[in-house]
Amino acid sequence: MPVKSPTRRSETSQKTVKVALAGCPNVGKTSLFNALTGTKQYVANWPGVTVEKKEGIFTYKGYTINLIDLPGTYSLGYSSIDEKIARDYLLKGDADLVILVADSVNPEQSLYLLLEILEMEKKVILAMTAIDEAKKIGIKIDRYELQKHLGIPVVFTSSVTGEGLKELKEKIVEYAQKNTILHKMILNYGEKVESEIKKVERFLGDKKVRINLRYFALKYLSGDPEFYSEGVKLGLPELSEEERIGYRLLIAKRKREYVESVVKEAFANAGSKSLSLSEAIDHVLTHKFLSFPLFFALMYLVFKFTFDIAQVFSDLLDLLFSQLGSAVVSTFGENAFTSLISDGIIGGVGSVLVFTPNIFAMFLALGFLEESGYLPRAAFVMDRIMEKFKLSGRAFMSLILGFGCNVPSIMATRAIDDPRERLVTVLITPFISCSARLPVYLLILRIFFPESSAAMLFMIYSLSILITLLSSVVINWLFYRGRTSPLILELPRYRMPTFKNLYIYTWNRGKHFLKKAGTIIFVSAILIWVLSYFPSGGDIENSFSAMIGKSLEWIFKPFGYSWKIVTSLFYGAVAKEVVVSTMSMLYGFEEETFLGAKEALSAEMDPVSAIAFLIFVMAYIPCFATIATIYSETGSLKWTLFSIGYSFAVAYVLSLIILYTGKLVVMLI
């Protein structure tokens, strides 16, 4: 497999070091990344794909260290897109060295991954994280033994206490200056495998293959699809499936044995009974029967926190924007310009921004659950339920990201190695209620259900999960048959989240909402104001928006919605927050604060139709960004159109059923 040689660095860039951060999921890789880079990080996409990559920069002793956080992966196979991205970057990228992050308490799987990277003949530093926790539970690690067996620098670190971070930076600079790899990893796989490796190496020697020949041979023999097909193309003999499986098992077995021998030599008291507290908590939280009510209770608390704790700050913002809009009108008088500023920009964008505290509160609560180690347990617990819906806990991990935004949630499906499960997860993700819908929920619930808002919010989110799961059954029934693959998940230890990690988690997700308010919502607000102000000079009833809403009113005739609500739903297809900003302009909320919204919407909807409206908003067509992501990830116009049509049909039928059933119940009562 011909691979380009790394570009020679110019003299002026000699003090820049590019470092790849690799590791298994849940070993503290992100915490180490944050501890090293702080806030000096940015997110982009990997070339040619839409999976996000996180890069951070820090300086040390005159060197600029560019840190690339690779996707967390248990191995460097080819079954999932995350594995492919990590392996391709390590093989073909321009990193000067690799930091392999390993958990000091559970190092086995990390060391297995390390062996794979060492076989690529890369410069590697082993960073053993959570050393403070290992010490607490009595685990002693012999650094000398580790370095002797692995032949690479080993640094003990803790992102909580900061231990080892300076030493790690020192090692990066020191090791990057060396022109040679300290130790070439040559693990003996036994006579049979070694004999075949030598044959392949001899054959490849004349083929100008620039990847390490031994690494190529190991991958070819174990039947890795990419290397095997490339080897056959170059002229290597075809192997039967039985032979490939046989070699694969022998190679994996030898690696496991070597890892076990290293752990035995270098670790003392590994698996200490001091872990009993964590195990005791697990016994309850992952219990066969208790785990489900506990999961739903925790989720309810998340929404209780989202609504109750943050509401006071939302009310203050509401008052601020209201007074700001009134001040503009009273200062400059009533004209088209002040209408644009007060009604369009302050009213439109402000009506969305007032929910910022609620959204940050939700991410703070979810961040606490994730940083503490509970969410992976939730995936483990939900795996039993997900299986009944033709999904697995891996899909749950992707779906739960959708509470923030559906776009990264869809991207996260790249970690799912089964193509069928991945496609189904992509198609059902828009039903997970993202933060963009939250402003709509909060506005309507405050008006119609002020005393039970948190409980109603919890019910809406629960219903969104139920529709998501049922949609998986429907799509599988329509297009696929088969079983899900089993979930393999290494559960992290419970940790008390640090303030810094919670801050980074909450800010990184919440700022997405603020960015949208400053871009999509801002532009939409101006555009909607123009469409609502002209051609009648401010007469809403004869505006372009009214024409649009009235022309579509027939579609929602069974719901009894006015053209203003229909127009809000129409504009909301761009981004769900726009539903609120459109209502704000059409009803003039900003002039009379929240009471104005309550008075206007109460005149058009009763509690039953309000619920039906919320369910429609929850399920109807994905926003533009999500539609674009679905198309990008599936590469199919057919599946993209299916997602739009299916979600609209589900929203329409479901909200109609809820509307008429609710009215019937009210009549009977």
Side-chain angles (χ1 to χ4, degrees):
M1 178 179 297
V3 174
K4 290 181 181 177
S5 298
T7 306
R8 184 181 293 279
R9 295 181 182 282
S10 67
E11 291 298 319
T12 55
S13 64
Q14 282 183 347
K15 287 205 167 185
T16 297
V17 180
K18 188 168 271 191
V19 181
L21 200 63
C24 299
N26 302 316
V27 296
K29 189 160 65 72
T30 301
S31 295
L32 182 61
F33 178 87
N34 291 335
L36 288 172
T37 64
T39 56
K40 297 172 187 173
Q41 54 189 265
Y42 65 93
V43 177
N45 286 335
W46 294 97
V49 294
T50 53
V51 172
E52 285 186 347
K53 69 171 176 179
K54 196 161 56 173
E55 293 194 30
I57 293 176
F58 64 94
T59 57
Y60 188 74
K61 288 190 172 178
Y63 281 81
T64 300
I65 316 294
N66 189 358
L67 203 60
I68 297 101
D69 191 14
L70 298 177
T73 175
Y74 293 107
S75 67
L76 298 176
Y78 208 75
S79 55
S80 77
I81 295 173
D82 278 352
E83 287 183 358
K84 181 181 183 309
I85 287 172
R87 188 172 79 178
D88 283 354
Y89 186 79
L90 290 172
L91 272 174
K92 305 168 189 176
D94 55 354
D96 297 290
L97 61 87
V98 181
I99 295 177
L100 188 284
V101 184
D103 186 347
S104 296
V105 179
N106 296 307
E108 287 84 358
Q109 189 61 46
S110 297
L111 294 181
Y112 186 95
L113 177 64
L114 173 65
L115 294 185
E116 289 199 69
I117 298 173
L118 288 175
E119 284 177 336
M120 292 179 176
E121 293 198 354
K122 298 291 176 185
K123 284 185 180 179
V124 184
I125 295 172
L126 175 60
M128 301 295 301
T129 58
I131 192 65
D132 55 325
E133 294 182 43
K135 287 175 183 173
K136 273 184 193 172
I137 58 178
I139 294 178
K140 295 178 181 175
I141 308 173
D142 190 327
R143 189 198 310 241
Y144 171 77
E145 284 292 332
L146 274 178
Q147 293 182 156
K148 183 183 78 177
H149 286 290
L150 302 170
I152 56 173
V154 177
V155 181
F156 296 150
T157 68
S158 167
S159 303
V160 176
T161 65
E163 180 180 346
L165 295 181
K166 186 179 176 185
E167 184 188 352
L168 183 58
K169 293 176 182 177
E170 194 77 41
K171 288 289 180 191
I172 291 171
V173 171
E174 179 189 329
Y175 200 11
Q177 290 173 327
K178 298 181 186 298
N179 292 323
T180 57
I181 297 167
L182 292 183
H183 175 74
K184 291 186 179 181
M185 182 72 203
I186 300 178
L187 188 61
N188 191 314
Y189 288 98
E191 189 177 338
K192 180 182 177 183
V193 178
E194 288 295 331
S195 169
E196 293 301 319
I197 289 174
K198 284 184 174 54
K199 286 181 191 173
V200 176
E201 283 182 313
R202 278 197 296 273
F203 177 84
L204 294 176
D206 300 327
K207 302 294 181 185
K208 296 181 180 177
V209 174
R210 293 184 182 179
I211 287 177
N212 177 269
L213 298 186
R214 184 176 175 83
Y215 181 80
F216 192 117
L218 283 167
K219 290 293 178 184
Y220 160 78
L221 289 172
S222 57
D224 181 286
E226 184 182 6
F227 286 87
Y228 179 75
S229 61
E230 186 68 22
V232 171
K233 203 182 294 180
L234 289 171
L236 286 168
E238 291 194 30
L239 304 173
S240 67
E241 187 177 352
E242 200 173 71
E243 287 176 306
R244 281 176 274 164
I245 292 173
Y247 286 126
R248 192 183 312 151
L249 292 176
L250 284 172
I251 291 167
K253 182 184 174 192
R254 179 66 187 111
K255 279 197 172 81
R256 295 279 178 207
E257 289 173 348
Y258 188 77
V259 167
E260 286 172 12
S261 68
V262 171
V263 171
K264 188 177 178 183
E265 292 289 328
F267 287 71
N269 291 331
S272 166
K273 292 298 179 187
S274 320
L275 279 173
S276 57
L277 178 60
S278 183
E279 290 169 351
I281 297 172
D282 260 349
H283 186 69
V284 176
L285 292 183
T286 61
H287 188 270
K288 187 175 180 181
F289 300 112
L290 288 176
S291 57
F292 296 110
L294 284 171
F295 169 73
F296 288 109
L298 284 170
M299 288 295 112
Y300 175 73
L301 288 177
V302 167
F303 295 115
K304 186 80 175 163
F305 180 76
T306 299
F307 206 101
D308 290 354
I309 303 298
Q311 196 52 49
V312 61
F313 302 105
S314 291
D315 290 341
L316 288 174
L317 279 177
D318 189 24
L319 184 62
L320 174 68
F321 285 118
S322 170
Q323 291 186 340
L324 194 59
S326 300
V328 169
V329 175
S330 62
T331 305
F332 299 101
E334 289 193 14
N335 52 55
F337 178 72
T338 55
S339 176
L340 169 64
I341 301 298
S342 63
D343 300 340
I345 297 175
I346 298 175
V349 180
S351 63
V352 176
L353 283 179
V354 295
F355 299 107
T356 303
N358 304 91
I359 287 169
F360 273 83
M362 184 179 76
F363 286 129
L364 180 64
L366 288 175
F368 187 89
L369 293 181
E370 182 166 334
E371 289 290 320
S372 66
Y374 176 72
L375 282 190
R377 266 90 180 170
F380 173 76
V381 169
M382 293 302 289
D383 186 59
R384 279 176 270 163
I385 293 180
M386 301 289 277
E387 189 183 11
K388 300 184 189 310
F389 294 93
K390 305 285 185 183
L391 294 171
S392 71
R394 284 185 301 274
F396 177 79
M397 295 285 278
S398 300
L399 291 172
I400 207 162
L401 290 174
F403 286 131
C405 177
N406 291 160
V407 171
S409 176
I410 290 171
M411 290 177 179
T413 61
R414 290 188 161 229
I416 300 173
D417 50 14
D418 180 0
R420 177 204 61 80
E421 186 181 356
R422 179 168 180 258
L423 176 62
V424 173
T425 308
V426 167
L427 295 176
I428 64 175
T429 294
F431 289 116
I432 292 291
S433 216
C434 65
S435 61
R437 287 138 164 151
L438 194 54
V440 188
Y441 300 157
L442 296 174
L443 176 68
I444 300 297
L445 292 177
R446 281 183 68 195
I447 293 173
F448 293 96
F449 306 95
E451 303 299 325
S452 55
S453 297
M456 292 295 292
L457 191 63
F458 174 69
M459 286 175 62
I460 291 169
Y461 274 82
S462 299
L463 184 61
S464 88
I465 294 172
L466 183 62
I467 294 171
T468 305
L469 297 177
L470 290 176
S471 292
S472 171
V473 176
V474 172
I475 294 171
N476 273 291
W477 179 75
L478 287 174
F479 303 107
Y480 294 106
R481 298 288 187 274
R483 297 174 58 82
T484 55
S485 51
L487 172 69
I488 300 172
L489 182 69
E490 188 173 347
L491 297 178
R493 291 180 309 288
Y494 292 103
R495 291 188 176 97
M496 180 55 70
T498 63
F499 174 79
K500 184 178 180 181
N501 283 347
L502 277 179
Y503 162 73
I504 292 173
Y505 181 99
T506 306
W507 173 246
N508 280 343
R509 284 157 179 78
K511 71 181 180 184
H512 176 70
F513 177 75
L514 294 177
K515 277 184 181 176
K516 282 178 79 179
T519 53
I520 297 173
I521 309 300
F522 180 79
V523 173
S524 300
I526 293 175
L527 185 62
I528 293 166
W529 177 85
V530 171
L531 293 172
S532 304
Y533 194 84
F534 295 103
S536 52
D539 179 7
I540 292 278
E541 290 292 334
N542 294 301
S543 64
F544 290 122
S545 290
M547 294 176 201
I548 294 171
K550 288 172 183 175
S551 68
L552 297 173
E553 212 171 356
W554 63 273
I555 299 175
F556 295 92
K557 196 172 181 181
F559 296 89
Y561 292 155
S562 70
W563 68 264
K564 291 181 180 177
I565 295 176
V566 174
T567 306
S568 302
L569 291 171
F570 177 76
Y571 290 154
V574 177
K576 296 298 182 290
E577 301 98 324
V578 175
V579 171
V580 172
S581 58
T582 306
M583 283 183 164
S584 166
M585 276 183 268
L586 298 182
Y587 290 103
F589 292 170
E590 77 294 345
E591 294 173 359
E592 302 172 55
T593 67
F594 173 72
L595 292 176
K598 184 176 181 180
E599 187 177 330
L601 291 178
S602 297
E604 294 205 9
M605 287 193 276
D606 57 28
V608 174
S609 59
I611 292 176
F613 175 75
L614 290 183
I615 300 307
F616 190 86
V617 170
M618 179 198 74
Y620 88 121
I621 61 174
C623 67
F624 281 8
T626 303
I627 291 172
T629 308
I630 291 172
Y631 179 73
S632 170
E633 293 299 306
T634 61
S636 165
L637 183 61
K638 180 188 80 173
W639 288 121
T640 307
L641 292 176
F642 172 82
S643 174
I644 296 170
Y646 177 75
S647 56
F648 186 84
V650 168
Y652 197 92
V653 173
L654 185 64
S655 52
L656 206 58
I657 291 172
I658 288 173
L659 178 67
Y660 283 97
T661 305
K663 287 189 174 182
L664 182 64
V665 171
V666 170
M667 282 176 61
L668 292 175
I669 292 174

